[in-house]
Amino acid sequence: MTNSPNSPDQAWVLKATIWAAPAAAPQWKEQLNRLRPIASFDDTTKTWQARLGALDLEGLNVLQALLDAASAHGTRVLLEPAAVPESWDGPVFTRGPDVAALLESQADQGRPLGQLPLR
């Protein structure tokens, strides 16, 4: 059985996380205006998150906007490969062996040494 290009074991997306900058009302409104169209806010972790499946013109514009917002507000940015969410209907990156190994090691974070992963 051949996996389709969008199956989780053959594809991945780039997950961008930006920590929200503590700010007074005008600066917070500026963050909202910059990030709301391209990212979602997680109130629990106080982070903005976006996923990219291609570094085409649209993907690069989103990535640049995220980095510009983080730079303007003095916040931290984390870029990491992530499994394709079930609800994702956008483009995906093809998963090569290096990315596959990284995704598998990230999935194992927090697993006690010697314990087999659940599959």
Side-chain angles (χ1 to χ4, degrees):
M1 177 176 179
T2 307
N3 292 325
S4 70
N6 290 339
S7 69
D9 59 342
Q10 295 294 320
W12 60 282
V13 293
L14 182 63
K15 178 181 167 187
T17 304
I18 299 174
W19 280 257
Q27 290 84 12
W28 178 245
K29 188 155 184 85
E30 184 182 336
Q31 284 183 67
L32 286 174
N33 290 338
R34 281 183 172 209
L35 295 173
R36 191 179 320 186
I38 57 174
S40 60
F41 186 71
D42 181 342
D43 197 42
T44 304
T45 61
K46 303 296 186 215
T47 59
W48 292 94
Q49 296 184 359
R51 287 182 172 76
L52 302 169
L55 290 179
D56 54 8
L57 182 57
E58 180 182 346
L60 289 174
N61 285 335
V62 168
L63 186 57
Q64 188 63 56
L66 294 168
L67 295 172
D68 288 347
S71 177
H73 298 286
T75 62
R76 191 166 62 108
V77 177
L78 175 65
L79 300 174
E80 59 188 333
V84 179
E86 286 185 28
S87 61
W88 183 261
D89 63 354
V92 296
F93 294 103
T94 302
R95 190 165 138 180
D98 293 341
V99 175
L102 178 61
L103 289 172
E104 287 170 16
S105 70
Q106 286 180 342
D108 280 348
Q109 288 179 355
R111 181 171 55 90
L113 184 62
Q115 185 181 53
L116 295 175
L118 298 174
R119 299 225 186 245

